[in-house]
DNA sequence: AAACATCGCTAACATTCGTTAGTATATTAT
DNA sequence: ATAATATACTAACGAATGTTAGCGATGTTT
């Protein structure tokens, strides 16, 4: 049997996690059964356990791989020598593109993390809280610079992040605008809502 | 036994549905069991069925009571003789206040409607689609009037509605700004993101 | 070729789930 | 008081769940 990689250059485990992302998005973590997943992979349910430790482990992997990408990005953006508005726009564009191109994973990470179990749960919540604080800090710099209007930074963050999760509806919509148009529209509205004028 | 009302002026069924809303929000529809609900109500699981037909019926009631409130509101707003921006602001303020004051129900209706079963599921999806189209139509009037900048109306709707669902985080936050401040901040950012200038 | 690791299968497990049946008790209406 | 209604209980059901044990076949390494 294939030892490391299948024809698609993915390990069996990666295939399982990827199919799980789709399934978890469609039905929710709790409602998606291991037998559903097995069928999607083309295998019996028990066979999944040759590759993964548990159903929850799949959720861990999804949630933390997404979280890590965002943390890495905010590291990068914070280090740049640009204006607060520039940084925010870069973060927003990253969020938008992640939501467009890694829809299933990002969506699942966003909506199903509650089903993580400790210590992963607290860990995830912490990372999330810290990420939002760092995002808010950038906004506060923008407010101090009078680039951004006087608003509650935490509220602004919460609006931005949740607004982007609306891309879910775009994915499910039948008559879509293009991804580029979507990105520009979102940036126009979201950044436009922040700037002083 | 109490025939119609308990001491709180609520029927037993209303108590059950209300406790269910809290539970469904906390754990998700699938993960919240009838035994959990029974415990919250202070009764055995089987006893719930003297008041409700099924677990799904509770979800129906929650989802459609919320949906009906929004449909009623948009009826009202559409009939007014005001500008598009005025109408949008009124709708947004209604959404915000619903999310603040009927948190559990609105949140559950928003996130758990997928677990409805047909014909209720299709029905709900239809209402939702129609509501968004009517909202988008108002935005398009604003664009035609040059009150609102040239954006994709559907995208704008999706941003507005999802942004407001972020109030969830406000509810869970420990150091909250007041509800009034939250409302004004959200309106400032969201309406500010739409208007031409 | 022998030893070993990989990986899919069948069968089964203990739990938990939503729900029903049947019964007893308390309240309201006549 | 008596009948009717509402509502709580215990017990149990069949179905679905995540997961484990054990086996056999296939591939890799020596």
């Amino acid at each position: 049997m294939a030892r490391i990689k299948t024809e698609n250059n993915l390990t069996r485990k990666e295939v399982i996690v990827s199919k799980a992302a789709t399934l978890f998005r469609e039905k929710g973590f709790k409602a998606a059964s291991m037998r559903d997943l097995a069928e999607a992979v083309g295998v019996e349910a028990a066979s999944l356990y040759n590759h993964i430790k548990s159903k929850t482990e799949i959720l861990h992997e999804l949630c933390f791989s997404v979280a890590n990408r965002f943390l890495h990005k905010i590291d990068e953006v914070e280090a740049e020598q640009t204006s607060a508005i520039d940084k925010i726009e870069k973060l927003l564009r990253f969020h938008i593109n992640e939501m467009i191109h890694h829809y299933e994973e990002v969506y699942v990470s966003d909506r199903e993390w509650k089903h993580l179990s400790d210590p992963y749960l607290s860990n995830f919540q912490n990372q999330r809280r810290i990420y939002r604080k760092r995002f808010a800090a950038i906004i506060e710099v923008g407010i101090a610079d009078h680039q951004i209007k006087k608003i509650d930074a935490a509220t602004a963050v919460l609006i931005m992040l949740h607004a982007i999760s609306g891309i879910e509806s775009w994915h499910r919509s039948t008559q879509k605008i293009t991804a580029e148009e979507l990105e520009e529209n979102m940036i126009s509205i979201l950044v436009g809502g922040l700037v002083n004028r």
Side-chain angles (χ1 to χ4, degrees), chain A:
Chain A
M1 297 236 159
R3 179 74 178 293
I4 294 288
K5 302 275 188 175
T6 67
E7 68 246 18
N8 350 343
N9 247 18
L10 291 174
T11 63
R12 208 89 178 100
K13 178 167 180 174
E14 286 167 339
V15 171
I16 291 171
V17 172
S18 160
K19 295 273 186 191
T22 306
L23 222 59
F24 291 174
R25 173 188 62 78
E26 286 171 352
K27 315 182 87 174
F29 176 75
K30 269 283 176 182
S33 76
M34 294 304 275
R35 284 164 181 87
D36 290 337
L37 177 55
E39 195 182 346
V41 175
V43 105
E44 289 300 315
S47 306
L48 298 171
Y49 289 85
N50 285 319
H51 305 277
I52 53 144
K53 287 211 301 287
S54 68
K55 187 186 182 185
T56 318
E57 191 213 12
I58 302 179
L59 189 59
H60 297 164
E61 301 228 348
L62 286 169
C63 289
F64 284 92
S65 90
V66 170
N68 286 337
R69 288 207 299 275
F70 283 113
L71 285 173
H72 181 262
K73 186 66 183 181
I74 203 171
D75 281 346
E76 184 187 314
V77 167
E78 279 177 341
E80 292 177 8
Q81 303 292 334
T82 56
S83 70
I85 277 284
D86 250 36
K87 289 180 181 174
I88 290 164
E89 187 172 326
K90 269 189 185 129
L91 282 178
L92 290 181
R93 287 190 189 274
F94 186 74
H95 273 271
I96 292 167
N97 278 290
E98 283 289 309
M99 191 67 181
I100 289 176
H101 298 111
H102 307 286
Y103 174 36
E104 322 273 8
E105 291 173 57
V106 177
Y107 181 85
V108 168
S109 165
D110 234 43
R111 311 270 290 218
E112 306 294 337
W113 58 265
K114 276 187 190 179
H115 298 103
L116 289 170
S117 38
D118 270 325
Y120 300 97
L121 177 59
S122 335
N123 211 303
F124 186 85
Q125 289 175 308
N126 265 341
Q127 286 195 21
R128 203 177 167 86
R129 216 190 58 244
I130 290 168
Y131 181 85
R132 291 179 179 193
K133 285 209 168 151
R134 289 167 71 179
F135 202 138
I138 299 177
I139 293 180
E140 266 155 7
V141 170
I143 297 174
D145 289 351
H146 304 96
Q147 261 195 316
I148 295 179
K149 62 169 104 160
K150 277 195 171 179
I151 46 171
D152 180 62
T155 302
V157 170
L158 150 180
I159 286 182
M160 303 290 137
L161 299 189
H162 281 82
I164 285 163
S165 82
I167 294 178
E168 165 218 354
S169 303
W170 175 82
H171 267 111
R172 279 211 303 260
S173 149
T174 47
Q175 36 182 13
K176 297 192 226 270
I177 58 177
T178 69
E180 291 74 23
E181 285 168 336
L182 179 65
E183 180 176 343
E184 294 313 319
N185 268 284
M186 293 197 103
I187 291 291
S188 162
I189 296 172
L190 292 177
V191 176
L194 293 179
V195 295
N196 233 332
R197 52 200 159 101

